[in-house]
Amino acid sequence: MSNSESADVETVVRLLSDQSPSTVHARYADCEAIVTRYLHSGSDFLLRLIKAVIAADAHKITLIQDAVSFLGDEHLGQLAFFLQAQVKRGIDVEDLLVHVTLQTPDLFPASTLVDNPDFKDWLTHADPQSPPACQHFIFEEGAPSDMSFPTHRNHPTWHLPAHRPSFVVGGVGKAVCPTCGRRLTHLVTLDGVEGLPRLRLETCQGSLEPTYYSHDADGMPTPIAPFHSSEDFMSRLVSGEHVARLAPTPQRWLRQSWFASNSRQNLFRLGGLPSWVQGPDFPLVPGTDRKMEFLLQFDSFAGFFWGSGGMLYVFWDEESRITCHVSQWT
């Protein structure tokens, strides 16, 4: 490590060790400016920084948790073994450990994984350690404009290598909600996706309850019963459209937690394991006892807003050609 990098580590540790409430915002901004310089090519620096602030018991901020996502695979593995020996330090190390177990669970025993609430949720799937294939929606403009901090905007999951075709995300739908009478919100039209028929996904953003849609041969949706309550409050309407492409999800990001993400990561995903807010909730095909398959999820970014700021999950049943949209929030 160069002298300047060592000085930067010492500076961050000193600033984070200062407990003066009057300077907390200025100190955080200074730390953030230093960390930001190393996000793309400073994995060795970030690992040394994380170890240093843990040794100084000064890691009680999300900025240090954010840095984990920017470690190279080798350094991430080193941090995994380091943290397992530091658990006795308490809740802050445990929080860091959550991020690392999600990104590299194969380095941890099953007893450690089951302590993670997300892994408990994923036990409803066949094998939470070998999740099904997943793809991320990658927006052409990068991270949505409502991402505020550098570790948010630069998170690797917003910048995965994407391929054609492109999809329009957002905008005004064509169908009308029979309960509130408002035009549905267009989520995305899936066309040309391997293993799926053409599906135009539209949803009522005024619904806090599961909503069902039947899709015709061209994939166009029609709202069907059971309809949502007329007393549901109106979520903030989506504004504008975005262009997105699909990117194969790397092994490291197959398991993403809504809570651990904390609005940093890209949770706009097609397939894979849902990032549950309130735990598993697989709907049944109306009139049957058949569970629907998870199709995709959208976060409360890029103009979307679910409930008080949670997630929307879309489920699909190929036999009936029905989708169900379920929102969860805190």
Side-chain angles (χ1 to χ4, degrees):
M1 180 179 287
S2 67
N3 291 336
S4 62
E5 290 174 337
S6 296
D8 282 342
V9 169
E10 292 174 3
T11 298
V12 172
V13 171
R14 174 177 55 79
L15 290 171
L16 296 183
S17 299
D18 186 345
Q19 300 298 311
S20 304
S22 61
T23 61
V24 62
H25 295 296
R27 287 186 288 106
Y28 186 95
D30 289 343
C31 290
E32 183 180 65
I34 292 173
V35 170
T36 299
R37 295 204 299 268
Y38 297 93
L39 292 182
H40 296 297
S41 58
S43 179
D44 182 64
F45 170 86
L46 294 174
L47 176 62
R48 291 175 183 268
L49 175 64
I50 293 169
K51 288 183 174 181
V53 295
I54 290 174
D57 197 29
H59 57 292
K60 302 177 178 65
I61 63 167
T62 56
L63 182 62
I64 301 303
Q65 296 177 12
D66 292 348
V68 172
S69 293
F70 296 89
L71 293 175
D73 290 344
E74 180 181 350
H75 291 135
L76 180 66
Q78 293 176 24
L79 181 62
F81 290 109
F82 174 78
L83 290 178
Q84 290 180 76
Q86 301 292 321
V87 174
K88 61 181 181 295
R89 289 182 176 270
I91 187 65
D92 295 299
V93 169
E94 292 174 5
D95 288 344
L96 277 172
L97 203 55
V98 166
H99 289 262
V100 179
T101 56
L102 288 166
Q103 296 179 36
T104 180
D106 53 310
L107 297 182
F108 294 88
S111 58
T112 299
L113 298 180
V114 297
D115 287 337
N116 184 316
D118 290 289
F119 274 89
K120 287 183 179 179
D121 289 344
W122 292 328
L123 288 175
T124 60
H125 296 258
D127 185 355
Q129 289 185 266
S130 299
C134 174
Q135 299 180 81
H136 274 76
F137 289 94
I138 303 300
F139 295 88
E140 277 197 343
E141 69 268 28
S145 59
D146 39 4
M147 306 293 288
S148 52
F149 299 106
T151 49
H152 301 198
R153 296 191 302 271
N154 290 286
H155 194 277
T157 52
W158 293 109
H159 304 282
L160 299 172
H163 55 73
R164 293 185 176 274
S166 61
F167 302 91
V168 174
V169 173
V172 179
K174 297 182 178 180
V176 173
C177 175
T179 300
C180 61
R182 295 183 174 91
R183 189 73 67 89
L184 298 183
T185 295
H186 175 247
L187 298 175
V188 64
T189 299
L190 299 175
D191 195 3
V193 178
E194 184 178 356
L196 287 174
R198 183 183 188 276
L199 284 175
R200 181 178 175 91
L201 300 176
E202 300 182 0
T203 198
C204 178
Q205 284 196 267
S207 173
L208 299 182
E209 305 165 32
T211 52
Y212 294 84
Y213 304 86
S214 175
H215 296 262
D216 64 19
D218 292 324
M220 300 300 292
T222 300
I224 60 173
F227 302 118
H228 72 81
S229 168
S230 59
E231 298 180 0
D232 282 355
F233 77 81
M234 194 68 184
S235 296
R236 187 175 67 207
L237 287 175
V238 66
S239 57
E241 297 179 346
H242 302 266
V243 176
R245 288 180 169 82
L246 289 173
T249 302
Q251 183 75 17
R252 181 167 175 173
W253 301 110
L254 289 177
R255 307 157 199 82
Q256 288 182 276
S257 161
W258 183 82
F259 284 99
S261 168
N262 197 21
S263 300
R264 272 81 167 157
Q265 302 175 19
N266 178 5
L267 299 182
F268 289 81
R269 295 162 50 113
L270 175 69
L273 295 171
S275 305
W276 299 112
V277 178
Q278 297 286 1
D281 185 13
F282 288 89
L284 301 178
V285 177
T288 77
D289 59 359
R290 188 169 68 250
K291 276 188 177 183
M292 305 184 77
E293 294 184 2
F294 174 66
L295 178 62
L296 61 77
Q297 63 182 32
F298 273 25
D299 202 353
S300 288
F301 282 111
F304 296 105
F305 197 79
W306 314 110
S308 59
M311 296 282 292
L312 179 76
Y313 312 92
V314 177
F315 301 85
W316 163 247
D317 180 69
E318 185 174 6
E319 181 179 337
S320 63
R321 296 187 60 83
I322 290 175
T323 56
C324 179
H325 302 186
V326 177
S327 56
Q328 291 185 352
W329 65 95
T330 56

